[in-house]
Amino acid sequence: MEAGGLPLELWRMILAYLPLPDLGRCSLVCRAWRELILSLDRTRWRQLYLGCAECRHPNWPNQPDVEPESWREAFKQHYLASKTWTKNAAVLETSVCFSLFRRRRTRRTLSVGPGHEFHSLGSALAMSSLFDRILLFPGLHEEQGEIILKVPVEIVGHGKLGEVALLASIDQQCSTTRLCNLVFMPAWFSPFMFKTTSGHVQFDNCNFENGHIQVHGPGTCQVKFCSFKNTHVFLHNVPLCVLENCEFVGSENNSVTVEGHPSSENNWAYTHLLGLIRSSPGVLSTEDSDSLMSLDLESRDQAWSPRTCGIVIEGSQSPTSPATDSPRAGSQEAEVGSNGERVAQTPDSSDGGLSPSGEDKDEDQLTYRLSYQVQGPRPVLGGSFLGPPLPGASIQLPSCLVLNSLQQELQKDREAMALANSVQGCLIRKCLFRDGKGGVFVCSYGRAKMEGNIFQNLTYAVRCIHNSKIIMLRNHIHHCRASGIFLRLEGGGLIAGNNICHNAEAGVDIRKKSNPLILCNQIHHGLRSGIVVLGNGKGVIRNNQIFSNKEAGIYILYHGNPVVSRNHIFKGHAAGIAVNENGRGLITENVIRENQWGGVDIRRGGVPILRSNLICFGYSDGVVVGDEGKGLLEGNTIYANKGCGVWMMASSLPHVTSNHVSYNGLYGVAVFSQKDGSGEFPGGHGAQENFSEDGDAILWETELEKDDDPLRRPITIALVESNSVNHNGASGLYIQSSEALHVVTNVIHANRVRGITVAQSSQLTRVANNSISCNRQSGVKIEAQCKVELRGNGIYDNRGHGIITKGDSTIMENDIIGNRGSGLQLLPMSDTKVIKNRIHSFRASGVAVQGHAKALVQENTIFQGRTNKTIFQQSSNNQECVIQNNRFLVFKKSDTWRLANPPARPHLENSLRGPSAAHSGQKVTAMATRITAHVEGGYHSKRSIFCTIL
């Protein structure tokens, strides 16, 4: 080239006229010539590929408008694949007896058609020898009897696809054969167009209409660029079959059936097919840019530590006391009335309450200081303290919560990687299944692998039953009239990297002990649930995006027991995860956000373990534990939901522990006992839903598994322990229940109404060792006829009274310090025992007894507030208030009061127990900021938001 001095463009023009053999010879001249030949990829190589009658566009049928990365490479792969059927030619042509006289034989070409050598395919086969080529000329070739292939031959249609039609029933009894460029239709006497039991068959660029193809192991098949119209491919015990770049249209049953365990006996083609599969590029090597969610979530990470507070009463601040914020100019503060309620709003400081220091500075009063320490359990998720959602901020997740790509997940999970790379049974790759009843049916220990296929407008895409295994990688499954993927009777395998959407039933349906690994899929816009697990179904559901489904993103019922971890479940029209009808499951480290109903909804005997999840920005409650719902809620972050953080029924005996519940629109935790119409479910959840096949009744009870999960600790009383409940729109904890309840070792802080409200409690509610501080109104309010025991709590810095009670309560060994109203206010008709408490108030009495309240006030230490305020206030004619053995501390100038012996409550060293302490090594999860709309219409009265709307 250099000697001739011709420009490269001219050389390319000259070489574009060369046929394929000459191009190969030119590429062997030198490196420069080879590079020049390779540069013809978009011109001559493309022309050669598309001019070949034996193949179609390399991306047909799924992406016929998308050019391949290299036309030369695609042509090479097709050429190598088309020669697979001849790989055993040397073995067949070897004769032991005549090895000395053996000579190379020439393949003959036998022509069939009007005016040619043979008039029928049968007559040509009778005269054929090993590896002869039979050429069928355009026309309709109909065979009246079954064609038996006894020697390896190649049958090829001459002309364009569709010009040669063959009506025949072919039974292959030889080791190998190839059929190309033909239209197959069944003969009048048999629906089977082709069948083989031991040999290898290769179909290239063929059309099959209205019949069946059957391959039995150890037989193998290789099918490429074929179209199947209302045709059923039946593969029984096949060790390996490859269906690639095929189209299946209008099937009245299953398009492909894979039945039986792959045969342990392999024919000669098995090794060659396996090598061909591994040498060709697979869909797994490409990165899916959609697998990472583009989220934007800012987080604030502040350590929660014990807070040392200095209370300065009257006058200037001591130089040794901590600095405090003075009220902002223009702020107004309402006086605390007799019932302890505040009406006027006050600007909020960083901890949700204003420091009392600096008030009434004009009064010439003495100053004293009471030092104490506010302690509480460290919040979950590594001690992060979450800030309020910022208006206009987008959602950005921290790196620990961003979904991994499929390749990253497979690298972390070696077993899943080995499964994804394995090939056994049937490989279906880059095929299109559309407009029929079923796609692929795998049964009776069958094995199938599906990569890069499209399933659309079918009744179902894939069914896997009877101990069969499927591997599904990067398929697109949409607009099915039932479920997209259905697993039953111990089916399993790997479902990874698929896009499953717009299906009429569940995207993935797991039943009857099936146990798949569902990894890195997008399951969205379904007309029912995203994933359904029922009938003792199991499975690992990990790292998926499940969104915009009309029912629950994941629905677990009838003893379904999956492991659901690290998924993003968002923008659903119902609950994020629903567990009912005795469903179970381990639900951990998921991001559940922006769902219309509860982030997690547990009812009707559902007993899940809900651990370390982020449940945020929901349009209703964060977690709903309804009628007969149970389970363990541990270590979750429940944030910025418009309803309650947790809405539950005490009769269901839930265990709520070590959660961070903050910035929710209504109550942090609401406990009710009324029946709330929980039989009604939004989006189809409930009795009207039918999960049986073909309309049969569901009798899952015959398959129940023993409940031996060691992670579940049985409890007999509803338990709320070791939670951080802060900055919620109503009370931190609201109780309206007729069942017993224990509230233990919680931090209830800076809520916009009260810390704890007990509106109804006919059985004993025990509130012990909690830190209740900086709430906008009272720390604790107990309504009439409620039975409550408060013991060992620290009730600090609330803007109303420390405790208001109208009911039957025992208040023992609490620290009630620094509240704006009275430390303790006993209202008429109350019956209260106040024993061994330490009580202090800034601007009101330590204890105020209103009207004819019945009370026993004994062995308390009560500090004086302002020097002109009484320590204990009661009506002079109240004979039912017994006061004995109390210690009243009146201010003296030299005094410095401290909470010591014992130190400030709550005392939590021996209180944290069980799963809360055992699970202290949870990872840090930062929280989100986002625009949140206010819920109009006030607070819950008796029901969850979703039941109220119903």
Side-chain angles (χ1 to χ4, degrees):
M1 288 189 303
E2 296 178 0
L6 295 179
L8 292 177
E9 290 77 9
L10 187 56
W11 277 112
R12 293 191 182 103
M13 186 179 299
I14 295 172
L15 295 174
Y17 289 95
L18 295 181
L20 179 62
D22 292 338
L23 281 177
R25 295 185 186 98
C26 290
S27 66
L28 299 176
V29 173
C30 64
R31 181 177 299 176
W33 278 77
R34 175 177 173 79
E35 292 177 356
L36 182 60
I37 298 300
L38 294 179
S39 69
L40 303 176
D41 189 80
R42 301 293 177 185
T43 55
R44 184 55 178 162
W45 287 110
R46 182 179 185 275
Q47 184 181 9
L48 286 171
Y49 186 98
L50 296 178
C52 178
E54 297 182 0
C55 59
R56 308 187 194 189
H57 191 285
N59 289 325
W60 183 88
N62 293 337
Q63 296 177 306
D65 299 328
V66 178
E67 290 199 354
E69 294 183 4
S70 170
W71 286 96
R72 176 184 171 277
E73 185 64 28
F75 192 62
K76 174 185 173 183
Q77 292 296 330
H78 169 72
Y79 179 82
L80 293 176
S82 66
K83 301 302 179 184
T84 303
W85 76 286
T86 62
K87 295 295 184 181
N88 69 332
V91 178
L92 291 177
E93 291 176 353
T94 299
S95 172
V96 176
C97 298
F98 301 99
S99 59
L100 296 177
F101 308 100
R102 185 175 68 250
R103 66 179 181 178
R104 184 180 181 88
R105 61 179 300 274
T106 304
R107 291 179 59 191
R108 294 185 301 163
T109 299
L110 309 179
S111 300
V112 179
H116 293 275
E117 184 179 359
F118 298 96
H119 293 285
S120 67
L121 176 61
S123 60
L125 288 171
M127 300 300 295
S128 64
S129 300
L130 294 177
F131 297 100
D132 281 346
R133 181 184 180 95
I134 299 176
L135 197 61
L136 301 183
F137 281 82
L140 180 63
H141 300 264
E142 184 175 4
E143 300 295 328
Q144 298 300 318
E146 187 177 49
I147 300 295
I148 298 178
L149 301 180
K150 295 185 178 180
V151 293
V153 292
E154 181 181 28
I155 303 174
V156 180
H158 182 271
K160 295 181 179 180
L161 178 64
E163 294 180 351
V164 182
L166 178 61
L167 279 71
S169 177
I170 301 176
D171 183 0
Q172 177 188 347
Q173 297 180 4
C174 57
S175 61
T176 181
T177 192
R178 179 175 184 253
L179 300 103
C180 177
N181 206 39
L182 299 169
V183 176
F184 283 87
M185 290 181 282
W188 61 271
F189 54 87
S190 173
F192 287 96
M193 294 178 287
F194 192 95
K195 57 185 177 181
T196 183
T197 56
S198 59
H200 171 73
V201 60
Q202 181 170 336
F203 295 103
D204 288 322
N205 197 36
C206 293
N207 289 351
F208 298 87
E209 298 179 4
N210 304 312
H212 303 289
I213 296 174
Q214 182 173 295
V215 180
H216 279 256
T220 57
C221 72
Q222 180 182 356
V223 186
K224 193 165 185 177
F225 297 118
C226 291
S227 179
F228 298 83
K229 183 178 180 181
N230 192 24
T231 298
H232 180 207
V233 179
F234 183 81
L235 307 174
H236 182 77
N237 293 115
V238 292
L240 187 59
C241 283
V242 180
L243 280 68
E244 192 169 10
N245 293 94
C246 295
E247 181 182 37
F248 296 84
V249 184
S251 63
E252 295 179 355
N253 205 326
N254 313 303
S255 295
V256 179
T257 296
V258 184
E259 181 181 27
H261 194 278
S263 172
S264 58
E265 180 185 355
N266 300 327
N267 66 11
W268 68 269
Y270 178 84
T271 304
H272 297 287
L273 281 177
L274 201 59
L276 185 67
I277 291 169
R278 290 173 177 171
S279 64
S280 60
V283 297
L284 191 59
S285 59
T286 61
E287 282 294 329
D288 186 1
S289 60
D290 292 333
S291 64
L292 295 178
M293 191 185 311
S294 56
L295 293 176
D296 210 37
L297 183 126
E298 290 190 17
S299 60
R300 287 191 339 189
D301 213 7
Q302 302 177 0
W304 180 285
S305 58
R307 181 168 61 95
T308 301
C309 300
I311 298 185
V312 180
I313 302 183
E314 314 297 349
S316 61
Q317 194 174 17
S318 168
T320 60
S321 63
T324 55
D325 297 331
S326 59
R328 301 176 185 176
S331 65
Q332 296 180 351
E333 184 174 342
E335 290 297 324
V336 181
S338 61
N339 61 354
E341 303 301 325
R342 299 177 67 257
V343 230
Q345 296 296 324
T346 329
D348 212 355
S349 62
S350 61
D351 63 352
L354 294 176
S355 169
S357 67
E359 295 177 359
D360 299 331
K361 288 185 178 180
D362 55 338
E363 298 182 15
D364 186 16
Q365 299 289 347
L366 297 175
T367 301
Y368 64 87
R369 181 167 171 251
L370 173 59
S371 296
Y372 61 94
Q373 195 176 55
V374 178
Q375 299 183 14
R378 294 178 62 86
V380 297
L381 308 176
S384 60
F385 182 69
L386 306 172
L390 300 179
S394 54
I395 302 172
Q396 180 182 5
L397 292 176
S399 58
C400 60
L401 290 180
V402 173
L403 294 179
N404 294 327
S405 67
L406 176 57
Q407 200 66 34
Q408 289 171 327
E409 280 295 313
L410 293 178
Q411 288 172 356
K412 290 168 55 179
D413 189 337
R414 295 300 177 186
E415 292 184 9
M417 176 67 86
L419 193 60
N421 291 329
S422 64
V423 180
Q424 193 178 25
C426 179
L427 171 63
I428 303 172
R429 184 160 57 183
K430 300 178 183 177
C431 294
L432 172 63
F433 296 81
R434 64 180 177 88
D435 304 326
K437 181 179 179 181
V440 179
F441 179 47
V442 188
C443 61
S444 303
Y445 297 89
R447 300 290 186 270
K449 182 175 184 178
M450 288 154 270
E451 295 185 25
N453 304 287
I454 295 178
F455 299 84
Q456 67 183 37
N457 299 320
L458 304 167
T459 301
Y460 63 86
V462 178
R463 288 168 63 95
C464 176
I465 67 172
H466 291 296
N467 299 94
S468 299
K469 298 291 183 290
I470 58 174
I471 301 171
M472 299 194 65
L473 301 175
R474 300 192 188 277
N475 302 280
H476 187 192
I477 301 170
H478 63 99
H479 291 97
C480 292
R481 294 182 290 277
S483 297
I485 303 173
F486 185 83
L487 299 103
R488 184 170 177 262
L489 297 173
E490 301 187 53
L494 173 65
I495 301 171
N498 303 282
N499 185 20
I500 305 171
C501 60
H502 296 99
N503 298 292
E505 298 290 337
V508 181
D509 191 317
I510 305 169
R511 310 185 184 202
K512 291 190 176 180
K513 300 183 181 180
S514 295
N515 190 18
L517 171 58
I518 302 175
L519 187 67
C520 298
N521 301 280
Q522 288 189 348
I523 304 173
H524 58 99
H525 291 95
L527 301 183
R528 301 289 290 273
S529 299
I531 298 176
V532 170
V533 186
L534 67 157
N536 288 323
K538 298 179 181 178
V540 176
I541 303 170
R542 187 172 77 230
N543 212 76
N544 301 280
Q545 294 184 64
I546 304 171
F547 60 96
S548 299
N549 296 287
K550 286 196 174 180
E551 295 183 7
I554 298 176
Y555 200 1
I556 305 170
L557 67 165
Y558 296 116
H559 300 273
N561 191 16
V563 176
V564 182
S565 65
R566 294 187 59 82
N567 301 282
H568 287 192
I569 305 170
F570 59 99
K571 294 185 178 178
H573 298 281
I577 299 177
V579 186
N580 61 43
E581 304 294 352
N582 300 307
R584 301 171 65 188
L586 174 60
I587 302 168
T588 177
E589 298 180 7
N590 301 281
V591 177
I592 305 170
R593 62 180 179 88
E594 298 178 90
N595 295 286
Q596 292 291 334
W597 305 107
V600 178
D601 193 289
I602 306 168
R603 296 173 184 268
R604 294 180 177 178
V607 195
I609 295 175
L610 196 67
R611 177 174 289 156
S612 300
N613 300 281
L614 170 56
I615 305 171
C616 59
F617 304 130
Y619 295 100
S620 180
D621 305 315
V623 178
V624 175
V625 185
D627 188 21
E628 299 180 14
K630 295 179 172 59
L632 171 65
L633 280 64
E634 180 177 20
N636 303 284
T637 298
I638 304 170
Y639 175 78
N641 299 283
K642 289 187 179 180
C644 301
V646 179
W647 187 100
M648 66 183 193
M649 296 180 66
S651 59
S652 299
L653 302 181
H655 185 179
V656 183
T657 177
S658 302
N659 301 284
H660 193 133
V661 185
S662 61
Y663 293 99
N664 297 285
L666 302 183
Y667 308 114
V669 179
V671 184
F672 294 93
S673 62
Q674 289 85 352
K675 306 299 181 185
D676 63 343
S678 57
E680 302 177 31
F681 287 79
H685 292 250
Q688 73 274 20
E689 185 150 18
N690 182 10
F691 286 97
S692 63
E693 295 178 68
D694 303 325
D696 295 335
I698 304 172
L699 300 176
W700 304 117
E701 283 68 21
T702 60
E703 302 178 13
L704 304 188
E705 294 181 335
K706 183 179 178 182
D707 189 358
D708 54 357
D709 194 335
L711 297 176
R712 291 178 169 86
R713 177 159 62 98
I715 60 174
T716 57
I717 295 176
L719 180 60
V720 179
E721 66 166 344
S722 303
N723 302 282
S724 174
V725 184
N726 61 82
H727 296 90
N728 296 287
S731 297
L733 175 60
Y734 183 87
I735 302 168
Q736 186 173 326
S737 172
S738 57
E739 285 84 20
L741 174 69
H742 286 181
V743 181
V744 184
T745 65
N746 300 282
V747 173
I748 303 174
H749 173 81
N751 297 285
R752 295 181 68 87
V753 184
R754 306 177 196 92
I756 298 177
T757 299
V758 185
Q760 176 185 333
S761 178
S762 55
Q763 295 193 37
L764 181 64
T765 295
R766 181 171 177 262
V767 181
N769 294 328
N770 301 280
S771 175
I772 306 169
S773 62
C774 301
N775 297 285
R776 283 286 186 92
Q777 296 182 13
S778 305
V780 180
K781 183 175 182 181
I782 303 169
E783 295 290 354
Q785 300 180 348
C786 293
K787 298 180 180 179
V788 181
E789 175 187 315
L790 288 92
R791 182 188 296 264
N793 302 284
I795 303 172
Y796 303 107
D797 295 345
N798 298 286
R799 296 190 183 183
H801 302 298
I803 299 175
I804 309 172
T805 178
K806 299 179 184 178
D808 182 359
S809 52
T810 300
I811 302 171
M812 181 179 294
E813 298 177 354
N814 301 280
D815 285 343
I816 309 169
I817 305 295
N819 301 285
R820 298 288 185 88
S822 300
L824 176 61
Q825 187 165 79
L826 311 181
L827 299 181
M829 308 304 295
S830 62
D831 185 355
T832 310
K833 298 180 179 64
V834 184
I835 303 173
K836 297 182 179 179
N837 302 280
R838 293 182 292 198
I839 305 172
H840 168 272
S841 174
F842 275 113
R843 294 190 290 173
S845 304
V847 177
V849 182
Q850 304 288 331
H852 293 279
K854 181 178 180 180
L856 170 62
V857 183
Q858 177 178 322
E859 300 182 29
N860 300 281
T861 300
I862 307 176
F863 300 92
Q864 184 185 33
R866 301 187 183 196
T867 53
N868 59 352
K869 290 289 184 180
T870 59
I871 298 178
F872 191 95
Q873 176 185 340
Q874 67 170 331
S875 302
S876 58
N877 57 353
N878 186 356
Q879 303 297 322
E880 305 216 19
C881 181
V882 178
I883 304 172
Q884 57 186 20
N885 300 330
N886 296 285
R887 182 185 177 198
F888 298 96
L889 296 182
V890 180
F891 168 75
K892 294 180 181 179
K893 186 174 181 179
S894 59
D895 286 347
T896 299
W897 293 337
R898 300 180 181 274
L899 299 183
N901 300 320
R905 298 181 177 96
H907 302 152
L908 304 175
E909 291 78 10
N910 299 320
S911 300
L912 295 175
R913 54 185 171 77
S916 305
H919 200 64
S920 59
Q922 304 166 71
K923 67 179 184 182
V924 176
T925 303
M927 241 12 225
T929 56
R930 128 185 222 286
I931 296 178
T932 55
H934 294 288
V935 176
E936 299 179 359
Y939 304 75
H940 288 291
S941 56
K942 299 180 179 179
R943 304 172 177 223
S944 76
I945 237 185
F946 111 30
C947 296
T948 303
I949 293 174
L950 284 176

